[in-house]
PDB file of all heavy atoms in Angstrom:
ATOM      1  N   THR A 285     -82.597 -21.501-157.716  1.00  0.00           N
ATOM      2  CA  THR A 285     -81.855 -22.357-158.636  1.00  0.00           C
ATOM      3  C   THR A 285     -80.976 -21.471-159.509  1.00  0.00           C
ATOM      4  O   THR A 285     -81.482 -20.648-160.283  1.00  0.00           O
ATOM      5  CB  THR A 285     -82.814 -23.173-159.519  1.00  0.00           C
ATOM      6  OG1 THR A 285     -83.647 -23.976-158.692  1.00  0.00           O
ATOM      7  CG2 THR A 285     -82.021 -24.070-160.468  1.00  0.00           C
ATOM      8  N   PHE A 286     -79.678 -21.622-159.388  1.00  0.00           N
ATOM      9  CA  PHE A 286     -78.732 -20.755-160.097  1.00  0.00           C
ATOM     10  C   PHE A 286     -78.316 -21.438-161.405  1.00  0.00           C
ATOM     11  O   PHE A 286     -77.281 -22.101-161.479  1.00  0.00           O
ATOM     12  CB  PHE A 286     -77.509 -20.465-159.219  1.00  0.00           C
ATOM     13  CG  PHE A 286     -77.855 -19.733-157.951  1.00  0.00           C
ATOM     14  CD1 PHE A 286     -78.044 -20.438-156.761  1.00  0.00           C
ATOM     15  CD2 PHE A 286     -77.996 -18.359-157.942  1.00  0.00           C
ATOM     16  CE1 PHE A 286     -78.371 -19.770-155.589  1.00  0.00           C
ATOM     17  CE2 PHE A 286     -78.322 -17.677-156.777  1.00  0.00           C
ATOM     18  CZ  PHE A 286     -78.517 -18.388-155.602  1.00  0.00           C
ATOM     19  N   CYS A 287     -79.141 -21.280-162.424  1.00  0.00           N
ATOM     20  CA  CYS A 287     -78.867 -21.952-163.689  1.00  0.00           C
ATOM     21  C   CYS A 287     -78.352 -20.990-164.753  1.00  0.00           C
ATOM     22  O   CYS A 287     -78.125 -21.381-165.891  1.00  0.00           O
ATOM     23  CB  CYS A 287     -80.126 -22.657-164.194  1.00  0.00           C
ATOM     24  SG  CYS A 287     -81.488 -21.530-164.513  1.00  0.00           S
ATOM     25  N   GLN A 288     -78.175 -19.728-164.397  1.00  0.00           N
ATOM     26  CA  GLN A 288     -77.628 -18.772-165.346  1.00  0.00           C
ATOM     27  C   GLN A 288     -76.101 -18.720-165.203  1.00  0.00           C
ATOM     28  O   GLN A 288     -75.480 -19.644-164.699  1.00  0.00           O
ATOM     29  CB  GLN A 288     -78.251 -17.386-165.123  1.00  0.00           C
ATOM     30  CG  GLN A 288     -79.767 -17.352-165.339  1.00  0.00           C
ATOM     31  CD  GLN A 288     -80.301 -15.942-165.380  1.00  0.00           C
ATOM     32  OE1 GLN A 288     -79.788 -15.084-166.094  1.00  0.00           O
ATOM     33  NE2 GLN A 288     -81.353 -15.693-164.610  1.00  0.00           N
ATOM     34  N   ASN A 289     -75.518 -17.622-165.621  1.00  0.00           N
ATOM     35  CA  ASN A 289     -74.076 -17.441-165.572  1.00  0.00           C
ATOM     36  C   ASN A 289     -73.564 -17.550-164.135  1.00  0.00           C
ATOM     37  O   ASN A 289     -74.181 -17.029-163.206  1.00  0.00           O
ATOM     38  CB  ASN A 289     -73.727 -16.058-166.148  1.00  0.00           C
ATOM     39  CG  ASN A 289     -72.244 -15.847-166.287  1.00  0.00           C
ATOM     40  OD1 ASN A 289     -71.448 -16.768-166.116  1.00  0.00           O
ATOM     41  ND2 ASN A 289     -71.861 -14.621-166.594  1.00  0.00           N
ATOM     42  N   ASN A 290     -72.447 -18.246-163.933  1.00  0.00           N
ATOM     43  CA  ASN A 290     -71.885 -18.373-162.587  1.00  0.00           C
ATOM     44  C   ASN A 290     -70.625 -17.527-162.410  1.00  0.00           C
ATOM     45  O   ASN A 290     -69.840 -17.760-161.495  1.00  0.00           O
ATOM     46  CB  ASN A 290     -71.591 -19.838-162.249  1.00  0.00           C
ATOM     47  CG  ASN A 290     -70.494 -20.420-163.118  1.00  0.00           C
ATOM     48  OD1 ASN A 290     -70.226 -19.938-164.213  1.00  0.00           O
ATOM     49  ND2 ASN A 290     -69.879 -21.489-162.623  1.00  0.00           N
ATOM     50  N   ASN A 291     -70.429 -16.551-163.290  1.00  0.00           N
ATOM     51  CA  ASN A 291     -69.310 -15.616-163.168  1.00  0.00           C
ATOM     52  C   ASN A 291     -69.815 -14.312-162.554  1.00  0.00           C
ATOM     53  O   ASN A 291     -70.661 -13.628-163.143  1.00  0.00           O
ATOM     54  CB  ASN A 291     -68.678 -15.327-164.531  1.00  0.00           C
ATOM     55  CG  ASN A 291     -67.993 -16.564-165.104  1.00  0.00           C
ATOM     56  OD1 ASN A 291     -67.380 -17.342-164.383  1.00  0.00           O
ATOM     57  ND2 ASN A 291     -68.116 -16.742-166.417  1.00  0.00           N
ATOM     58  N   ILE A 292     -69.314 -13.978-161.368  1.00  0.00           N
ATOM     59  CA  ILE A 292     -69.768 -12.790-160.642  1.00  0.00           C
ATOM     60  C   ILE A 292     -68.719 -11.685-160.781  1.00  0.00           C
ATOM     61  O   ILE A 292     -67.600 -11.837-160.285  1.00  0.00           O
ATOM     62  CB  ILE A 292     -69.999 -13.105-159.144  1.00  0.00           C
ATOM     63  CG1 ILE A 292     -71.018 -14.244-158.995  1.00  0.00           C
ATOM     64  CG2 ILE A 292     -70.465 -11.869-158.398  1.00  0.00           C
ATOM     65  CD1 ILE A 292     -71.219 -14.696-157.563  1.00  0.00           C
ATOM     66  N   PRO A 293     -69.049 -10.590-161.439  1.00  0.00           N
ATOM     67  CA  PRO A 293     -68.073  -9.504-161.615  1.00  0.00           C
ATOM     68  C   PRO A 293     -67.940  -8.662-160.349  1.00  0.00           C
ATOM     69  O   PRO A 293     -68.437  -7.531-160.273  1.00  0.00           O
ATOM     70  CB  PRO A 293     -68.679  -8.701-162.780  1.00  0.00           C
ATOM     71  CG  PRO A 293     -70.149  -8.917-162.656  1.00  0.00           C
ATOM     72  CD  PRO A 293     -70.328 -10.309-162.120  1.00  0.00           C
ATOM     73  N   HIS A 294     -67.257  -9.206-159.379  1.00  0.00           N
ATOM     74  CA  HIS A 294     -67.081  -8.502-158.100  1.00  0.00           C
ATOM     75  C   HIS A 294     -65.935  -9.140-157.338  1.00  0.00           C
ATOM     76  O   HIS A 294     -65.411 -10.190-157.730  1.00  0.00           O
ATOM     77  CB  HIS A 294     -68.367  -8.562-157.272  1.00  0.00           C
ATOM     78  CG  HIS A 294     -68.623  -7.316-156.481  1.00  0.00           C
ATOM     79  ND1 HIS A 294     -67.684  -6.758-155.631  1.00  0.00           N
ATOM     80  CD2 HIS A 294     -69.721  -6.520-156.397  1.00  0.00           C
ATOM     81  CE1 HIS A 294     -68.192  -5.675-155.075  1.00  0.00           C
ATOM     82  NE2 HIS A 294     -69.422  -5.492-155.526  1.00  0.00           N
ATOM     83  N   THR A 295     -65.546  -8.493-156.221  1.00  0.00           N
ATOM     84  CA  THR A 295     -64.492  -9.051-155.372  1.00  0.00           C
ATOM     85  C   THR A 295     -65.058  -9.782-154.164  1.00  0.00           C
ATOM     86  O   THR A 295     -64.324 -10.467-153.459  1.00  0.00           O
ATOM     87  CB  THR A 295     -63.549  -7.933-154.883  1.00  0.00           C
ATOM     88  OG1 THR A 295     -64.316  -6.942-154.191  1.00  0.00           O
ATOM     89  CG2 THR A 295     -62.825  -7.284-156.047  1.00  0.00           C
ATOM     90  N   PHE A 296     -66.353  -9.612-153.916  1.00  0.00           N
ATOM     91  CA  PHE A 296     -67.002 -10.332-152.812  1.00  0.00           C
ATOM     92  C   PHE A 296     -68.466 -10.566-153.154  1.00  0.00           C
ATOM     93  O   PHE A 296     -68.993 -10.023-154.130  1.00  0.00           O
ATOM     94  CB  PHE A 296     -66.865  -9.569-151.482  1.00  0.00           C
ATOM     95  CG  PHE A 296     -67.392  -8.158-151.506  1.00  0.00           C
ATOM     96  CD1 PHE A 296     -68.742  -7.887-151.285  1.00  0.00           C
ATOM     97  CD2 PHE A 296     -66.539  -7.089-151.733  1.00  0.00           C
ATOM     98  CE1 PHE A 296     -69.227  -6.591-151.298  1.00  0.00           C
ATOM     99  CE2 PHE A 296     -66.999  -5.781-151.748  1.00  0.00           C
ATOM    100  CZ  PHE A 296     -68.353  -5.529-151.530  1.00  0.00           C
ATOM    101  N   CYS A 297     -69.127 -11.402-152.349  1.00  0.00           N
ATOM    102  CA  CYS A 297     -70.510 -11.801-152.627  1.00  0.00           C
ATOM    103  C   CYS A 297     -71.502 -10.841-151.969  1.00  0.00           C
ATOM    104  O   CYS A 297     -71.317 -10.433-150.825  1.00  0.00           O
ATOM    105  CB  CYS A 297     -70.762 -13.217-152.123  1.00  0.00           C
ATOM    106  SG  CYS A 297     -69.790 -14.488-152.974  1.00  0.00           S
ATOM    107  N   GLU A 298     -72.552 -10.516-152.716  1.00  0.00           N
ATOM    108  CA  GLU A 298     -73.646  -9.689-152.218  1.00  0.00           C
ATOM    109  C   GLU A 298     -74.963 -10.442-152.385  1.00  0.00           C
ATOM    110  O   GLU A 298     -75.046 -11.391-153.155  1.00  0.00           O
ATOM    111  CB  GLU A 298     -73.721  -8.371-152.987  1.00  0.00           C
ATOM    112  CG  GLU A 298     -72.516  -7.462-152.829  1.00  0.00           C
ATOM    113  CD  GLU A 298     -72.669  -6.196-153.646  1.00  0.00           C
ATOM    114  OE1 GLU A 298     -72.917  -6.304-154.868  1.00  0.00           O
ATOM    115  OE2 GLU A 298     -72.551  -5.117-153.066  1.00  0.00           O
ATOM    116  N   HIS A 299     -75.984  -9.969-151.673  1.00  0.00           N
ATOM    117  CA  HIS A 299     -77.288 -10.625-151.711  1.00  0.00           C
ATOM    118  C   HIS A 299     -77.886 -10.585-153.123  1.00  0.00           C
ATOM    119  O   HIS A 299     -78.007 -11.614-153.791  1.00  0.00           O
ATOM    120  CB  HIS A 299     -78.224  -9.945-150.701  1.00  0.00           C
ATOM    121  CG  HIS A 299     -79.640 -10.423-150.782  1.00  0.00           C
ATOM    122  ND1 HIS A 299     -80.719  -9.668-150.396  1.00  0.00           N
ATOM    123  CD2 HIS A 299     -80.165 -11.593-151.244  1.00  0.00           C
ATOM    124  CE1 HIS A 299     -81.830 -10.342-150.586  1.00  0.00           C
ATOM    125  NE2 HIS A 299     -81.528 -11.519-151.099  1.00  0.00           N
ATOM    126  N   ILE A 300     -78.248  -9.388-153.601  1.00  0.00           N
ATOM    127  CA  ILE A 300     -78.872  -9.277-154.915  1.00  0.00           C
ATOM    128  C   ILE A 300     -77.868  -9.575-156.020  1.00  0.00           C
ATOM    129  O   ILE A 300     -78.223 -10.102-157.079  1.00  0.00           O
ATOM    130  CB  ILE A 300     -79.491  -7.875-155.103  1.00  0.00           C
ATOM    131  CG1 ILE A 300     -80.560  -7.630-154.023  1.00  0.00           C
ATOM    132  CG2 ILE A 300     -80.109  -7.736-156.480  1.00  0.00           C
ATOM    133  CD1 ILE A 300     -81.690  -8.642-154.024  1.00  0.00           C
ATOM    134  N   GLY A 301     -76.600  -9.272-155.761  1.00  0.00           N
ATOM    135  CA  GLY A 301     -75.563  -9.591-156.738  1.00  0.00           C
ATOM    136  C   GLY A 301     -75.491 -11.068-157.036  1.00  0.00           C
ATOM    137  O   GLY A 301     -75.141 -11.476-158.151  1.00  0.00           O
ATOM    138  N   LEU A 302     -75.829 -11.902-156.058  1.00  0.00           N
ATOM    139  CA  LEU A 302     -75.880 -13.351-156.253  1.00  0.00           C
ATOM    140  C   LEU A 302     -77.252 -13.798-156.740  1.00  0.00           C
ATOM    141  O   LEU A 302     -77.364 -14.634-157.648  1.00  0.00           O
ATOM    142  CB  LEU A 302     -75.529 -14.059-154.938  1.00  0.00           C
ATOM    143  CG  LEU A 302     -75.565 -15.585-154.927  1.00  0.00           C
ATOM    144  CD1 LEU A 302     -74.567 -16.171-155.926  1.00  0.00           C
ATOM    145  CD2 LEU A 302     -75.274 -16.119-153.518  1.00  0.00           C
ATOM    146  N   ALA A 303     -78.303 -13.227-156.160  1.00  0.00           N
ATOM    147  CA  ALA A 303     -79.667 -13.656-156.484  1.00  0.00           C
ATOM    148  C   ALA A 303     -80.029 -13.409-157.942  1.00  0.00           C
ATOM    149  O   ALA A 303     -80.830 -14.152-158.523  1.00  0.00           O
ATOM    150  CB  ALA A 303     -80.666 -12.941-155.567  1.00  0.00           C
ATOM    151  N   LYS A 304     -79.441 -12.378-158.560  1.00  0.00           N
ATOM    152  CA  LYS A 304     -79.820 -12.057-159.941  1.00  0.00           C
ATOM    153  C   LYS A 304     -79.379 -13.121-160.940  1.00  0.00           C
ATOM    154  O   LYS A 304     -79.819 -13.115-162.089  1.00  0.00           O
ATOM    155  CB  LYS A 304     -79.258 -10.698-160.339  1.00  0.00           C
ATOM    156  CG  LYS A 304     -77.753 -10.654-160.514  1.00  0.00           C
ATOM    157  CD  LYS A 304     -77.301  -9.241-160.881  1.00  0.00           C
ATOM    158  CE  LYS A 304     -75.799  -9.174-161.110  1.00  0.00           C
ATOM    159  NZ  LYS A 304     -75.363  -7.793-161.463  1.00  0.00           N
ATOM    160  N   TYR A 305     -78.551 -14.065-160.520  1.00  0.00           N
ATOM    161  CA  TYR A 305     -78.136 -15.161-161.401  1.00  0.00           C
ATOM    162  C   TYR A 305     -79.058 -16.372-161.269  1.00  0.00           C
ATOM    163  O   TYR A 305     -78.796 -17.415-161.864  1.00  0.00           O
ATOM    164  CB  TYR A 305     -76.695 -15.560-161.104  1.00  0.00           C
ATOM    165  CG  TYR A 305     -75.707 -14.494-161.507  1.00  0.00           C
ATOM    166  CD1 TYR A 305     -75.100 -13.700-160.552  1.00  0.00           C
ATOM    167  CD2 TYR A 305     -75.401 -14.271-162.840  1.00  0.00           C
ATOM    168  CE1 TYR A 305     -74.209 -12.704-160.908  1.00  0.00           C
ATOM    169  CE2 TYR A 305     -74.517 -13.276-163.212  1.00  0.00           C
ATOM    170  CZ  TYR A 305     -73.927 -12.491-162.244  1.00  0.00           C
ATOM    171  OH  TYR A 305     -73.064 -11.501-162.611  1.00  0.00           O
ATOM    172  N   ALA A 306     -80.128 -16.218-160.483  1.00  0.00           N
ATOM    173  CA  ALA A 306     -81.081 -17.312-160.332  1.00  0.00           C
ATOM    174  C   ALA A 306     -82.098 -17.290-161.466  1.00  0.00           C
ATOM    175  O   ALA A 306     -82.330 -16.264-162.105  1.00  0.00           O
ATOM    176  CB  ALA A 306     -81.806 -17.191-158.994  1.00  0.00           C
ATOM    177  N   CYS A 307     -82.694 -18.438-161.707  1.00  0.00           N
ATOM    178  CA  CYS A 307     -83.732 -18.542-162.730  1.00  0.00           C
ATOM    179  C   CYS A 307     -85.124 -18.413-162.124  1.00  0.00           C
ATOM    180  O   CYS A 307     -86.128 -18.481-162.830  1.00  0.00           O
ATOM    181  CB  CYS A 307     -83.622 -19.880-163.448  1.00  0.00           C
ATOM    182  SG  CYS A 307     -82.057 -20.067-164.331  1.00  0.00           S
ATOM    183  N   ASN A 308     -85.193 -18.250-160.819  1.00  0.00           N
ATOM    184  CA  ASN A 308     -86.472 -18.119-160.137  1.00  0.00           C
ATOM    185  C   ASN A 308     -86.892 -16.652-160.063  1.00  0.00           C
ATOM    186  O   ASN A 308     -86.149 -15.750-160.398  1.00  0.00           O
ATOM    187  CB  ASN A 308     -86.391 -18.685-158.715  1.00  0.00           C
ATOM    188  CG  ASN A 308     -85.701 -20.025-158.659  1.00  0.00           C
ATOM    189  OD1 ASN A 308     -84.481 -20.085-158.752  1.00  0.00           O
ATOM    190  ND2 ASN A 308     -86.466 -21.084-158.485  1.00  0.00           N
ATOM    191  N   ASP A 309     -88.105 -16.454-159.566  1.00  0.00           N
ATOM    192  CA  ASP A 309     -88.603 -15.118-159.277  1.00  0.00           C
ATOM    193  C   ASP A 309     -87.938 -14.647-157.977  1.00  0.00           C
ATOM    194  O   ASP A 309     -88.047 -15.311-156.941  1.00  0.00           O
ATOM    195  CB  ASP A 309     -90.130 -15.182-159.110  1.00  0.00           C
ATOM    196  CG  ASP A 309     -90.764 -13.806-159.023  1.00  0.00           C
ATOM    197  OD1 ASP A 309     -90.136 -12.900-158.444  1.00  0.00           O
ATOM    198  OD2 ASP A 309     -91.885 -13.655-159.531  1.00  0.00           O
ATOM    199  N   ILE A 310     -87.256 -13.507-158.024  1.00  0.00           N
ATOM    200  CA  ILE A 310     -86.523 -13.039-156.835  1.00  0.00           C
ATOM    201  C   ILE A 310     -87.157 -11.793-156.226  1.00  0.00           C
ATOM    202  O   ILE A 310     -86.504 -11.051-155.485  1.00  0.00           O
ATOM    203  CB  ILE A 310     -85.039 -12.765-157.157  1.00  0.00           C
ATOM    204  CG1 ILE A 310     -84.911 -11.627-158.177  1.00  0.00           C
ATOM    205  CG2 ILE A 310     -84.352 -14.027-157.646  1.00  0.00           C
ATOM    206  CD1 ILE A 310     -83.476 -11.123-158.326  1.00  0.00           C
ATOM    207  N   ARG A 311     -88.438 -11.560-156.506  1.00  0.00           N
ATOM    208  CA  ARG A 311     -89.086 -10.386-155.924  1.00  0.00           C
ATOM    209  C   ARG A 311     -89.087 -10.422-154.402  1.00  0.00           C
ATOM    210  O   ARG A 311     -88.952  -9.388-153.760  1.00  0.00           O
ATOM    211  CB  ARG A 311     -90.513 -10.250-156.460  1.00  0.00           C
ATOM    212  CG  ARG A 311     -90.585  -9.500-157.788  1.00  0.00           C
ATOM    213  CD  ARG A 311     -91.986  -9.434-158.330  1.00  0.00           C
ATOM    214  NE  ARG A 311     -92.431 -10.745-158.827  1.00  0.00           N
ATOM    215  CZ  ARG A 311     -93.502 -10.915-159.585  1.00  0.00           C
ATOM    216  NH1 ARG A 311     -94.226  -9.866-159.933  1.00  0.00           N
ATOM    217  NH2 ARG A 311     -93.849 -12.109-160.003  1.00  0.00           N
ATOM    218  N   VAL A 312     -89.232 -11.615-153.829  1.00  0.00           N
ATOM    219  CA  VAL A 312     -89.202 -11.721-152.364  1.00  0.00           C
ATOM    220  C   VAL A 312     -87.838 -11.264-151.843  1.00  0.00           C
ATOM    221  O   VAL A 312     -87.753 -10.551-150.834  1.00  0.00           O
ATOM    222  CB  VAL A 312     -89.483 -13.173-151.917  1.00  0.00           C
ATOM    223  CG1 VAL A 312     -89.336 -13.294-150.402  1.00  0.00           C
ATOM    224  CG2 VAL A 312     -90.887 -13.588-152.345  1.00  0.00           C
ATOM    225  N   ASN A 313     -86.766 -11.667-152.514  1.00  0.00           N
ATOM    226  CA  ASN A 313     -85.424 -11.239-152.119  1.00  0.00           C
ATOM    227  C   ASN A 313     -85.283  -9.726-152.178  1.00  0.00           C
ATOM    228  O   ASN A 313     -84.710  -9.096-151.270  1.00  0.00           O
ATOM    229  CB  ASN A 313     -84.371 -11.886-153.020  1.00  0.00           C
ATOM    230  CG  ASN A 313     -84.318 -13.386-152.887  1.00  0.00           C
ATOM    231  OD1 ASN A 313     -85.246 -14.081-153.296  1.00  0.00           O
ATOM    232  ND2 ASN A 313     -83.241 -13.912-152.318  1.00  0.00           N
ATOM    233  N   ILE A 314     -85.816  -9.129-153.261  1.00  0.00           N
ATOM    234  CA  ILE A 314     -85.699  -7.682-153.436  1.00  0.00           C
ATOM    235  C   ILE A 314     -86.468  -6.935-152.349  1.00  0.00           C
ATOM    236  O   ILE A 314     -85.942  -6.009-151.713  1.00  0.00           O
ATOM    237  CB  ILE A 314     -86.199  -7.266-154.835  1.00  0.00           C
ATOM    238  CG1 ILE A 314     -85.262  -7.825-155.910  1.00  0.00           C
ATOM    239  CG2 ILE A 314     -86.316  -5.755-154.959  1.00  0.00           C
ATOM    240  CD1 ILE A 314     -85.752  -7.612-157.332  1.00  0.00           C
TER     241      ILE A 314
END
């Protein structure tokens, strides 16, 4: 669930770069 900031300081999308804006536990992703 991406309930944090939706502004990504990058030119393209990355896995952890996107996941870190989630409000869930992302240890599985890491």
Side-chain angles (χ1 to χ4, degrees):
T285 301
F286 298 96
C287 61
Q288 298 191 50
N289 187 9
N290 66 337
N291 293 322
I292 303 175
H294 216 308
T295 57
F296 56 85
C297 295
E298 296 179 306
H299 173 206
I300 300 301
L302 178 61
K304 70 181 182 180
Y305 291 105
C307 297
N308 314 76
D309 189 325
I310 64 168
R311 274 177 288 194
V312 175
N313 296 69
I314 293 173

